[in-house]
Structure formats: C-alpha cells, structure tokens
Amino acid sequence: MLSVAVVGSGPSGVYTAQALLQQSLVPDVRVHVLDRLPTPYGLVRYGVAPDHEKIKSLQNSLRAVLEDERVTFVGNVGVGGADGVSPARLAELYHAVVYCVGASADRALAVPGENLPGSYSATRFVSWYSAHPDIGADPFARDALGARSAVVIGVGNVAVDVARILARGAGELRRTDVPSGALRALEESRVREVHIVGRRGPSQARFTTKELRELGALPGARVVVDPVELALDPAYAAPDGLPGALPPPAVVRRNLEVLRGWSAGIGAGAAGAVPGGVGVGGEPGPAADARRRIRLRFFLRPVELLERGGRVAGVRFARTAPDGTGGVRDTGRYEDIEAQLVLRAVGYRGVELPGLPFDPVHGTVPHAAGRVLRGGVPSPGEYVAGWIKRGPTGVIGSNRSCAKETVASLLADASALTRRTAAADPLAVLREWGLRPVEWTGWLSIERAEAELGRSLGRGPVKIPDWAGLLAAARDENR
C-alpha cells in the first residue's frame, strides 16, 4: 500500500488526492488530507466571495473526493509551525508527503503610511467577511462604520470582489453565509465612494469580464469611468491592434468594451442612471441618486498614504503614462484621493514553511516537476503542488494540471517510496504527539452547527467565525 499525506485541503490539495485515486499504476493507495484548520476547502471556503454561489458550489466536487473511502480528512493539524508537526516528523508517518499550502501572504505596497490604522490588505478584509477563524471578531467594524470613501489598490479579481462587497447592500448578503458580525458592520457601513485604482492601463488589468460586469449590476451603485484615462491606453485607442503589435486577447477586448460603455454613460448602474439620464443598456432612465459610486481609475501609482488624526485620510498617487514597452513611467504629476479605508490587492506571496527549502525571491519551494529539491537534489518522498509550487498564478482549475504533474512524479518514484517505513496508523501517532485531529465526522458536526446558527437568525447556513466555536462544534458529534 502507498500511504500519502497531502498538506492542504484547498483545490490544489484535493485535486492532488483525486489524481492519486484516479491513477492505475498503484492500485492500493491511501491518502490523508491534512489541514491546519478544522474545516476543509481552503480558499473556496475562505477566499471566494460569499455572493459567488456558483464558484462556491465547487465545494460539492471537492467534497466527493474527501468522502472517498480511501481518503481521510485530518483537520486541526498544523505542519511546520511551532504548534504543529515538522516536515521531518511527518515524513516518518507516510511514504510520501505533498505540500499544497498555497501563498497566504499579501504583497506590500512599500510606501510611507502603509501601516496607518485604516490601511489593510484585501486578504485580511476577505478573511473577515469570509469568517476565517484567524481574523477573529470585527476588526473592520469601525472602518466600515466610519469610512466615507474607500480606495482599493489593484485591478485584479480580488480588488473587484472587495469593492463589490463594500458597494453591495447588506440586505443582499443576508442570503449568504457571511458571519453575523460582518453583516451587521456592512449594514451600518457609511462607505459611499469606492475607488479601484491601478498603476497601469485597462488593457493590463487582471480582472475577468464577468467580475467586471457584476459591478455594473449592483442595485443602488453607479460605476464611473474617466474616458480621458481610458484613452491613454494604446490598446484602448486601437482595439484592433497597433501597427506591429498583436491584437489584445479576447478577455481584454471584452473588458475594454465594458469600460468603453461605462465611460460613455451606458449600463453603468442597475438602480440609478448616469448623468444625462441614461440607464442600463443605454435606455433612457431616471436621473436617479445612486447610494454608492464605484470609480475605476487607471495610470495612478500609489506613493504615500496620507494621515490625519493618526489614521488614513487619503492616498497620494503619481500619475503614470505608457512607456512604449508595456510598462509605465511617472509623469511628474500627482493626485490625492480622499479615503478613510485603504485596501491593497496587489498580489500574494508564498510563505516559508519551517523545515522545507524556500526560494525567497519567487516565494516558492524549489522543485523539479513537483519533487522538492534540497541542495538542488530531489528529496525522497517530498513533493509540492499548487501556488507554493508555481507561484500565485492561474485560476482554480489550473491546479488540476499542476497536481497531475506532481502525482506523475510521485508515482514514478512509488516503487522506491513503498520500501520506506510508514506508520500503520498515522492518526494514532499524531494523537500521541499531543495533537487533536478533527476528522470528517467533526467537519459534518461543524456544518450542522452552522446550519442551526443560520436557522436561529432566519438565514441559511452562517459560518462560525472563531476557533473556539469551530472546535466546540467539531467535538459535539452528537449534534
């Protein structure tokens, strides 16, 4: 029998387990999927926006893998941390270990004032409204209550997600699993202006067209786009391609079409009209007063977060312009945008896992086709998949091919791996080491507790937002 531990129960980890189950080279394989949290699904549970039910339904396919009789979910077991299991000790229990720990750190702006109160990573904001137990109660309540204007720095899907949550009416979020504390804060939010700002042009933005269009469909919100800024982008000015250049990809073309419509006052708000009385799809509409505005800004590079009264009061941007090589240059001009809440969404980085080699430049574990390299040589029985392997790139589905490559390497090594000693009952050993694993029955108990919490509030299932509550629910298997 081939005994494998997969560290991480998000998409990359579950797809790794699935690839092991679907192969035929080693007929008898057992997989333990370990996670630091007592809950499975990783970023699908704690990173996908609550109003994106279709994407969150991916949990159903991940669930099918974790419920396979050859797979055991082992939650509440950290690896590499002070209170967890070291990679060296974990290697004693299994023939092979595949690390699928993602890229959990956000990239910093590295500008003065970044650490002022009111300035946060978008990752932290997402974790708050997604009830990640590491965040705790309501760290954003004061900002959500008091901020009039918010600036989201970045033009990817995460930036669009957090802007949409800030601009969406809390009443619409009641049907989601947003935790009660976050929902109360969003209900009382005074944010009326949300600026999404990128240092380059719209053709280089990383959001998908579907995410972008959702902004224009928010009831009570209006999207504002400056046509002057759009015109600075060479691809926008020549959508069929500049001389000597390839036409922009299809997604860029679609994004530019949406932005072009908004800049012309077409379809820029579902509940209100843009100036001139133009409503959705260019049809005449009432000169409505939208409760919130979302302003998409381009060619602005943050250089400083401004302070007033010990808190963020705004962001100073340097105006940029295309440099002719795909990058941007500073123009020597600056613009200040008022904001009492600043969220940076400029990317993720992998975090070093103590006991594993780490490349600090790329934020990944050195590997060859998924085999962990120690001193440039493959380390027997150690593998990586997902963002910690390739960096924070691609969409959820990209993890399938990534996992398959790693599993192919593992299977090629299987004959040597199975000659190693593995524990007959790894969970029993983990308990001897003082850990308290949460197995699948414990997760099912958490699910029941969240359903009961939702019913008590007149809602669907509502997430439990704290460690104590999750662990108490997991232990109450008679619920």
Side-chain angles (χ1 to χ4, degrees):
M1 181 184 74
L2 176 64
S3 173
V4 181
V6 174
V7 181
S9 67
S12 63
V14 177
Y15 290 152
T16 297
Q18 185 178 49
L20 285 164
L21 300 182
Q22 291 176 341
Q23 57 80 32
S24 58
L25 295 176
V26 181
D28 191 7
V29 61
R30 295 293 183 272
V31 184
H32 282 186
V33 178
L34 281 61
D35 204 293
R36 183 178 67 87
L37 298 173
T39 57
Y41 311 135
L43 281 178
V44 178
R45 175 175 167 91
Y46 290 118
V48 174
D51 56 347
H52 276 178
E53 285 113 347
K54 184 175 181 180
I55 301 176
K56 290 181 77 69
S57 68
L58 175 63
Q59 292 182 10
N60 295 329
S61 60
L62 301 182
R63 183 188 197 102
V65 177
L66 294 174
E67 288 184 330
D68 189 286
E69 61 182 6
R70 295 165 291 176
V71 175
T72 300
F73 172 70
V74 186
N76 197 38
V77 173
V79 176
D83 300 325
V85 184
S86 70
R89 295 195 81 184
L90 193 62
E92 299 172 8
L93 306 183
Y94 300 91
H95 294 123
V97 181
V98 186
Y99 293 91
C100 306
V101 293
S104 58
D106 62 278
R107 293 184 181 274
L109 296 173
V111 300
E114 183 171 11
N115 295 320
L116 284 168
S119 169
Y120 301 95
S121 72
T123 304
R124 187 170 176 83
F125 184 64
V126 170
S127 295
W128 170 66
Y129 65 64
S130 298
H132 196 294
D134 286 349
I135 296 301
D138 292 332
F140 287 92
R142 179 178 298 176
D143 293 310
L145 286 169
R148 300 181 305 278
S149 175
V151 167
V152 182
I153 299 173
V155 282
N157 279 346
V158 173
V160 174
D161 276 348
V162 299
R164 191 181 66 255
I165 295 298
L166 284 170
R168 185 181 284 285
E172 302 165 60
L173 293 173
R174 283 187 57 81
R175 59 183 174 82
T176 72
D177 59 6
V178 169
S180 298
L183 187 63
R184 283 195 300 270
L186 291 168
E187 283 175 337
E188 298 173 340
S189 171
R190 295 170 60 187
V191 173
R192 293 298 177 266
E193 296 273 352
V194 182
H195 306 259
I196 305 174
V197 187
R199 66 184 178 90
R200 298 193 291 181
S203 67
Q204 294 168 311
R206 296 298 182 91
F207 39 64
T208 60
T209 309
K210 179 180 180 297
E211 293 261 1
L212 186 62
R213 284 175 174 153
E214 285 179 332
L215 294 177
L218 293 175
R222 189 169 81 191
V223 181
V224 179
V225 181
D226 185 347
V228 175
E229 288 182 348
L230 298 187
L232 292 173
D233 192 316
Y236 179 83
D240 292 327
L242 298 171
L246 293 174
V251 65
V252 174
R253 286 175 173 271
R254 292 193 294 269
N255 287 348
L256 294 178
E257 289 171 3
V258 173
L259 293 169
R260 183 178 288 107
W262 285 344
S263 70
I266 298 173
V274 295
V278 180
V280 179
E283 294 299 321
D289 181 19
R291 296 191 306 274
R292 294 182 174 92
R293 287 183 176 82
I294 302 170
R295 299 183 183 274
L296 282 157
R297 304 295 309 276
F298 301 98
F299 294 110
L300 292 171
R301 180 177 65 84
V303 295
E304 182 182 1
L305 270 62
L306 307 175
E307 178 266 340
R308 183 184 304 123
R311 292 183 54 81
V312 163
V315 185
R316 177 158 295 161
F317 292 93
R319 168 64 71 184
T320 64
D323 64 3
T325 65
V328 293
R329 58 176 176 80
D330 285 352
T331 65
R333 293 182 289 122
Y334 297 87
E335 178 178 338
D336 293 351
I337 297 179
E338 176 194 353
Q340 299 79 39
L341 175 62
V342 177
L343 300 171
R344 63 180 181 273
V346 292
Y348 297 93
R349 280 188 59 80
V351 176
E352 182 175 5
L353 192 70
L356 279 185
F358 187 69
D359 178 351
V361 175
H362 298 98
T364 56
V365 171
H367 72 93
R371 296 181 177 93
V372 171
L373 298 178
R374 292 184 180 270
V377 178
S379 176
E382 293 186 313
Y383 304 85
V384 285
W387 279 4
I388 200 64
K389 170 187 173 184
R390 67 182 191 274
T393 61
V395 295
I396 290 176
S398 306
N399 292 297
R400 285 187 182 275
S401 57
C402 178
K404 287 179 179 179
E405 180 191 55
T406 295
V407 168
S409 295
L410 190 159
L411 294 173
D413 304 337
S415 60
L417 294 174
T418 52
R419 290 195 291 269
R420 295 156 48 104
T421 301
D425 187 352
L427 266 67
V429 179
L430 291 173
R431 293 188 180 96
E432 289 174 6
W433 291 348
L435 298 167
R436 299 186 66 192
V438 171
E439 296 183 59
W440 192 250
T441 54
W443 159 241
L444 295 179
S445 183
I446 291 173
E447 279 194 317
R448 289 192 292 271
E450 292 184 338
E452 290 173 9
L453 175 60
R455 282 193 294 272
S456 72
L457 299 170
R459 299 170 57 189
V462 172
K463 286 179 183 171
I464 297 171
D466 60 282
W467 274 97
L470 287 170
L471 291 177
R475 305 304 178 199
D476 185 9
E477 295 183 8
N478 295 320
R479 180 181 299 275

